Amino acid sequence: MEAMKISKRFFAFGILACIAIYVAYIKWHLDSKPVMGATEGVAESRGDKLNRQAVTTDLSVFYGIMFDAGSTGTRIHIFKFTQQPKETPKLTHETFKALKPGLSAYADDVEKSGQGIKELLEVAKKEVPMELWKFTPLVLKATAGLRLLPGEKAQKLLAKVKEIFQASPFFVRDNCVSIMNGTDEGISAWITINFLTGSLDDPQKRSVGMLDLGGGSTQITFLPRTEAALQTSPAGHTTSFQMFNNTYKLYSYSYLGLGLMSARLAILGGVEGKPCEPLYESCSNKVAKMLYKKVHKTEEVKDLDFYTFSYYYDRAAEVGLIDQEKGGSLTVGDFEIAAKYVCKTMEIRPGSSPFLCMDLTYITFLLQELGFPKSQVFKLARKIDNVETSWALGATFHYIDSLNRLQY
């Protein structure tokens, strides 16, 4: 009898031990799975290699952090996405904050440049759940301000940012900081606008083109509808990239020196000072002469829808062609009418915007040189569905997608 009791005790103990081992295994198995919300293809790593064991999950909430280091300020965009398997991600929230001045202002005091970066990173820590920090890509892309700095000074600033990023709790790779070229800026803005208008989700929906007029350069980007349009384009005016299992072949070009501020100097013969005479005819002659053979005219643009940004928007709002906050739609002809009116008014009564006549005239001629007829309708919007229509969203999409492809 005593032997039977001992045997039963061992039997019971064996069952309990098995249960304990099983529970421990289940707990270990669950703990080893990716944190809820990790990006597909984005796992913990401080270097160039991804942890390929933490990239397969049906859980679809993830974040991306993009720093826009412009000439006048540094801005942080914190994007929250959701994604169902085999579907394009959906943006559910954006947090935005900007600080002045831009990074380039610290060219001679690199250490001081880090203060603003650290301040903006604190915003990211508050917005992104702590358990997702190690899965959230952190990137900075610089534009015109750093492009114009001497190479050594620009690289020192980028090295300082990279040092701060690598000390952060977010997901950082070797290419986390860089200077964008004009074409990349145009492509990223095109991705943003087509994502926000729904054409990336729906292959049957026609894509829209993008026009950006900055201070130093101007960009045009669109998706040609025929292969012939790509083949007849000048060298360097076309590009292709992969994103979300699709290959896009775009017409995209950045005209350095044809931004609004650069154009003013060129029209004035390289001298800052008095603008061209406030007569539309004399002003238009100078603009036409400056633009002569500098821009490639594309026939296909007249059959596509385009969104316009930056100084196109600002000057249109300044003269009341669109609402300052809501934007609107207008034609090339509307810019021309406004230019003639402003030039005539300034001739009689000079105002507080001495360059407005020249700016509107330049915009009118630039759009026609690019191939747009006077009847072409453009859409102008600072935001779509309450999201900024900047290149930052498109660049974040493209970066996350490139990380996803590294796992295969």
Side-chain angles (χ1 to χ4, degrees):
M1 286 293 290
E2 189 65 30
M4 287 181 65
K5 285 181 181 179
I6 292 171
S7 177
K8 285 180 179 179
R9 283 189 195 134
F10 272 105
F11 180 75
F13 177 80
I15 291 174
L16 288 172
C18 288
I19 291 171
I21 292 167
Y22 178 75
V23 169
Y25 170 77
I26 292 297
K27 185 176 185 302
W28 170 83
H29 185 66
L30 289 173
D31 287 345
S32 69
K33 287 200 169 188
V35 177
M36 180 175 182
T39 311
E40 270 190 65
V42 181
E44 184 180 9
S45 172
R46 303 309 297 183
D48 242 357
K49 294 182 180 179
L50 292 173
N51 177 352
R52 296 169 187 257
Q53 294 176 353
V55 294
T56 53
T57 175
D58 291 331
L59 305 169
S60 59
V61 178
F62 61 96
Y63 290 77
I65 304 168
M66 179 63 68
F67 277 73
D68 168 3
S71 56
T72 60
T74 301
R75 305 143 196 123
I76 187 172
H77 298 260
I78 304 159
F79 299 110
K80 180 182 179 181
F81 302 102
T82 60
Q83 185 177 22
Q84 296 301 319
K86 299 181 181 179
E87 289 188 10
T88 304
K90 290 180 170 49
L91 180 66
T92 58
H93 185 70
E94 178 194 21
T95 299
F96 172 81
K97 186 174 181 180
L99 292 179
K100 293 184 178 182
L103 270 183
S104 53
Y106 301 105
D108 297 317
D109 192 356
V110 174
E111 287 303 313
K112 199 173 179 182
S113 69
Q115 294 174 8
I117 300 294
K118 290 176 182 176
E119 184 180 332
L120 293 174
L121 278 174
E122 289 303 312
V123 177
K125 287 179 183 178
K126 290 176 183 175
E127 287 296 320
V128 180
M130 187 182 294
E131 65 269 21
L132 296 187
W133 286 356
K134 61 184 178 181
F135 298 108
T136 300
L138 174 61
V139 180
L140 178 141
K141 291 187 180 291
T143 54
L146 262 68
R147 277 186 219 141
L148 296 171
L149 280 181
E152 186 180 342
K153 289 189 174 183
Q155 289 308 314
K156 283 182 178 178
L157 284 167
L158 293 179
K160 180 62 180 177
V161 173
K162 187 173 181 179
E163 177 188 316
I164 295 169
F165 277 13
Q166 288 177 330
S168 80
F170 297 106
F171 175 76
V172 176
R173 299 186 73 235
D174 278 348
N175 63 348
C176 63
V177 297
S178 61
I179 298 175
M180 296 179 86
N181 62 41
T183 300
D184 287 342
E185 200 172 333
I187 291 169
S188 295
W190 182 88
I191 294 170
T192 295
I193 202 68
N194 281 281
F195 170 75
L196 294 176
T197 56
S199 64
L200 290 184
D201 275 334
D202 184 0
Q204 303 303 315
K205 190 171 183 178
R206 285 179 59 179
S207 66
V208 296
M210 185 285 304
L211 291 167
D212 198 346
L213 179 60
S217 62
T218 185
Q219 287 91 30
I220 176 171
T221 304
F222 64 92
L223 181 67
R225 291 157 69 184
T226 64
E227 193 67 31
L230 288 167
Q231 292 172 354
T232 56
S233 298
H237 284 61
T238 59
T239 186
S240 65
F241 68 96
Q242 282 187 303
M243 193 176 70
F244 304 134
N245 299 317
N246 287 312
T247 298
Y248 296 93
K249 296 180 180 179
L250 298 181
Y251 179 102
S252 185
Y253 197 74
S254 179
Y255 293 94
L256 188 61
L258 294 187
L260 196 62
M261 300 304 136
S262 299
R264 283 182 183 178
L265 286 174
I267 293 165
L268 295 169
V271 181
E272 284 197 69
K274 186 180 177 183
C276 57
E277 296 85 354
L279 290 168
Y280 180 76
E281 290 73 20
S282 62
C283 211
S284 61
N285 287 337
K286 290 185 177 181
V287 169
K289 184 179 178 181
M290 190 279 284
L291 278 174
Y292 183 65
K293 289 190 174 180
K294 285 191 170 72
V295 176
H296 177 248
K297 186 172 287 188
T298 52
E299 289 297 319
E300 192 173 358
V301 296
K302 65 180 184 292
D303 300 319
L304 300 172
D305 294 327
F306 273 81
Y307 275 77
T308 64
F309 304 109
S310 304
Y311 280 118
Y312 290 122
Y313 190 107
D314 295 341
R315 292 296 173 265
E318 190 173 344
V319 294
L321 291 175
I322 59 170
D323 184 271
Q324 180 73 44
E325 296 300 321
K326 297 177 182 176
S329 297
L330 50 74
T331 66
V332 177
D334 291 330
F335 274 118
E336 182 182 43
I337 292 168
K340 289 179 177 178
Y341 176 78
V342 168
C343 292
K344 186 66 177 175
T345 303
M346 288 176 67
E347 182 185 0
I348 301 166
R349 188 176 61 257
S352 58
S353 301
F355 290 96
L356 192 55
C357 166
M358 185 166 65
D359 289 351
L360 291 168
T361 304
Y362 175 68
I363 287 172
T364 301
F365 274 73
L366 175 63
L367 290 172
Q368 290 179 88
E369 286 296 306
L370 287 168
F372 297 102
K374 291 183 181 181
S375 59
Q376 181 92 19
V377 178
F378 298 111
K379 294 178 182 177
L380 297 92
R382 289 198 197 281
K383 292 184 176 183
I384 296 175
D385 291 336
N386 214 32
V387 178
E388 295 279 339
T389 53
S390 77
W391 58 260
L393 175 60
T396 304
F397 262 159
H398 200 195
Y399 190 83
I400 288 174
D401 184 66
S402 70
L403 293 178
N404 290 345
R405 279 185 271 117
L406 284 177
Q407 68 177 296
Y408 297 111

